[in-house]
Amino acid sequence: EAASGAAGGGGGGGGRVPGVNGHFVPDPFVAPALAAKENAVELSGISRAHWEATWSDAEVRGAQAAHVVGTWGATGAIAEAPLLERGEGVYLYDRAGKQYLDWTSQAICTNLGYDVPAAVVEAVTAQLVKLPMVYGGLGVTEIRCRMAALLAELLPGDIEGFIFPSSGNEANEAAVRIARRYTGKHKILTQYRSYHGGSATTLAATGDFRRWFAEVGATGFVKMFNPTPFKFQWGEDEAAATATALAALEEQILLEGPNEIAAVMLESVVGAGGVLVAPEGYMQGVRALCDKYDILLVADEVMVGFGRTGKFWGFQHYPGVLPDLVTSAKGLSAAYLPLSVVGMRRPIKEFFETTPLGWGATYQAHPVALACAYECVKHVLDNDIVQHAAALQPVMEQEIAAIVAKHPSVRQGRALGLFGCLDLVDRHGHYVQPLQGPSPEPVLKFRQALAENGIYGLVRPPYIHCAPPLVINEHELRDGFARVDKALDVLDRELGLAPP
């Protein structure tokens, strides 16, 4: 009987056997010893150099080498980057006085160049003096309401609700959150040739190689092939390619489960992936599929919004297409201050009148950044900047055509407004390198030649983007192409495509 009771644990009626089935005794906890590090800072030891008006080049480079960390690439890649000191018009100048033409509006963002409109300076200064900060979850400012009202007039249809994050990355992350909370569904379809931002969420949404840095752990992002893939064609002409690509997308939607897909998120014009405009009918077809299966369409306009392509919004190149959510940044404030926007259609806005949005940030709707953006957008309107970009598209096309005809290292080019791109190829007709690198020696020589010819901006072979500030004039634009043309002479020679 005693044995029977012991086997039954605490539920038996017999006596407890000492040391058996009793209260669990763990190992004693022994706290590890702290490897103490000094964490006090003697403020009196702070260098007085920080109060000096100027530093020498050696002092600047010394601080860079000791303390500055690069992003995306290895820090060593910016060790000899130009020390920029000032800007004027569409040009930048380093500390030695060398002039560079900003050929890609830096990261496709300095849309208004470097002569900041007086109204922008005045508005920013006035807002700083009057009320420099309001946390958007506690208070509302006039400038926030004004900016939202202006954007409601600039966007078509019933896109009339707005939040104002600080970057395109934040805007896209918020859009993903909004789509998921509004629909109650989780999956987001995005294209392989795409870039949506640098956070864990937006890198997982991204299709290009940068998602490899962070996609582990992010869930729900499903990749779809672009209508313009790298290694094959959907059809012999645009109509056939569009039909096949849309059929493939519908099959993917069915296999992923329409009831699981919150949104399809697309760049209106693929930017970093090569300035790719969707073939005729494709975006309309995507919109129709989203409607058929009750899926939201998110238009990522971070690069192309506010006139880059010769229309105010990139999606306006596709008649009849109205997205459910629109994100933008960069051109919103001409990159003078960090600001972005998410616009949503009326049903989504109304849904969140009584349901928590579930996204926020300290600097959301920052009043100083909004004051800057408000005047920038009005400047774009007052000075016909969008029409100016459209008017220069024929010059872009003419110059790109001349480069394609002259240089065997350039397979083809594209241009929409002041958004252009060249595809670089080797002697076998293949891309000169993968987008993720590494760059072969001829490409390194080409990069050097661009810098020597005063071309500044993003250089991401096998693509060379041509996206100067929207305030560039025809003479400056043609001069930029002439500089690129000289650098391409070097690439042709280095690739063995032209006599040394």
Side-chain angles (χ1 to χ4, degrees):
E1 290 180 0
S4 166
R16 187 178 298 278
V17 177
V20 179
N21 294 329
H23 181 66
F24 180 79
V25 178
D27 245 6
F29 171 71
V30 178
L34 171 67
K37 305 291 184 183
E38 181 58 63
N39 66 1
V41 173
E42 181 52 61
L43 298 183
S44 64
I46 300 296
S47 170
R48 298 309 300 173
H50 297 292
W51 282 261
E52 295 174 2
T54 60
W55 283 11
S56 68
D57 286 2
E59 288 172 318
V60 173
R61 288 297 194 190
Q64 176 186 351
H67 307 297
V68 173
V69 179
T71 58
W72 290 123
T75 298
I78 61 169
E80 300 300 324
L83 281 177
L84 298 173
E85 187 167 63
R86 67 183 181 91
E88 181 180 326
V90 297
Y91 299 101
L92 292 161
Y93 298 84
D94 66 19
R95 289 168 67 105
K98 181 177 175 60
Q99 181 201 74
Y100 300 87
L101 174 55
D102 185 0
W103 194 235
T104 64
S105 302
Q106 299 206 34
I108 326 294
C109 59
T110 54
N111 284 13
L112 298 182
Y114 299 97
D115 296 330
V116 183
V120 174
V121 176
E122 292 167 5
V124 167
T125 303
Q127 190 66 55
L128 274 170
V129 171
K130 183 178 181 181
L131 184 61
M133 171 62 186
V134 170
Y135 173 57
L138 291 175
V140 177
T141 57
E142 178 180 336
I143 191 61
R144 179 180 179 183
C145 300
R146 277 178 170 259
M147 188 78 249
L150 177 57
L151 287 172
E153 295 177 41
L154 287 169
L155 279 154
D158 62 346
I159 302 173
E160 55 187 41
F162 302 95
I163 61 172
F164 297 100
S166 298
S167 67
N169 163 60
E170 272 195 339
N172 283 333
E173 179 145 353
V176 168
R177 186 86 50 82
I178 290 166
R180 286 172 166 168
R181 287 188 55 75
Y182 177 72
T183 64
K185 299 185 285 185
H186 189 63
K187 291 182 181 179
I188 308 289
L189 268 60
T190 60
Q191 293 179 329
Y192 276 110
R193 297 182 76 171
S194 69
Y195 175 72
H196 296 291
S199 72
T201 294
T202 53
L203 268 186
T206 289
D208 76 22
F209 72 96
R210 285 169 285 189
R211 81 177 190 279
W212 304 339
F213 294 129
E215 69 178 338
V216 174
T219 64
F221 293 98
V222 179
K223 295 297 175 289
M224 50 192 273
F225 283 104
N226 299 64
T228 48
F230 282 110
K231 292 292 187 179
F232 69 95
Q233 292 183 332
W234 291 105
E236 292 301 316
D237 56 36
E238 281 204 348
T242 294
T244 306
L246 289 172
L249 175 57
E250 181 165 28
E251 179 148 342
Q252 189 170 13
I253 288 171
L254 291 171
L255 293 173
E256 291 291 341
N259 293 333
E260 303 294 325
I261 302 171
V264 173
M265 185 177 193
L266 304 177
E267 292 176 272
S268 300
V269 178
V270 174
V275 185
L276 304 174
V277 182
E280 185 174 354
Y282 179 79
M283 290 295 282
Q284 289 88 341
V286 173
R287 173 72 270 184
L289 286 171
C290 287
D291 291 339
K292 180 178 180 179
Y293 293 108
D294 194 24
I295 296 168
L296 298 182
L297 177 61
V298 182
D300 178 344
E301 295 261 337
V302 170
M303 277 193 182
V304 299
F306 300 94
R308 169 60 56 187
T309 66
K311 291 185 181 293
F312 214 95
W313 307 104
F315 66 80
Q316 291 175 322
H317 289 282
Y318 313 112
V321 174
L322 184 69
D324 300 295
L325 293 164
V326 178
T327 64
S328 197
K330 299 184 185 280
L332 171 61
S333 64
Y336 297 143
L337 287 174
L339 191 70
S340 62
V341 62
V342 182
M344 63 196 78
R345 293 181 66 180
R346 185 181 303 127
I348 302 174
K349 176 185 180 294
E350 291 176 346
F351 176 82
F352 289 113
E353 291 287 340
T354 55
T355 301
L357 187 76
W359 181 90
T362 300
Y363 302 124
Q364 195 277 143
H366 194 287
V368 179
L370 283 167
C372 171
Y374 191 55
E375 294 303 326
C376 284
V377 175
K378 290 194 293 181
H379 183 86
V380 168
L381 295 169
D382 289 342
N383 292 273
D384 296 327
I385 299 295
V386 180
Q387 292 83 351
H388 178 69
L392 285 177
Q393 180 173 325
V395 178
M396 293 275 287
E397 293 171 339
Q398 183 184 85
E399 292 288 344
I400 289 174
I403 281 177
V404 172
K406 175 183 176 182
H407 294 283
S409 60
V410 182
R411 177 194 292 159
Q412 60 195 348
R414 294 165 294 283
L416 191 64
L418 280 170
F419 204 23
C421 188
L422 306 172
D423 293 349
L424 303 182
V425 294
D426 61 20
R427 61 190 304 167
H428 305 293
H430 299 144
Y431 279 131
V432 72
Q433 69 166 74
L435 185 59
Q436 66 268 24
S439 291
E441 188 65 24
V443 173
L444 296 177
K445 294 288 183 65
F446 172 61
R447 289 176 180 271
Q448 181 180 350
L450 286 169
E452 290 172 352
N453 282 282
I455 287 291
Y456 177 90
L458 292 176
V459 182
R460 288 180 172 167
Y463 311 122
I464 298 299
H465 286 76
C466 313
L470 303 186
V471 294
I472 197 168
N473 63 39
E474 181 177 342
H475 171 75
E476 293 164 337
L477 183 59
R478 291 190 187 279
D479 173 55
F481 277 108
R483 299 181 189 208
V484 173
D485 175 64
K486 291 178 183 177
L488 285 168
D489 286 338
V490 173
L491 181 62
D492 288 344
R493 290 195 299 269
E494 293 294 325
L495 290 171
L497 295 169

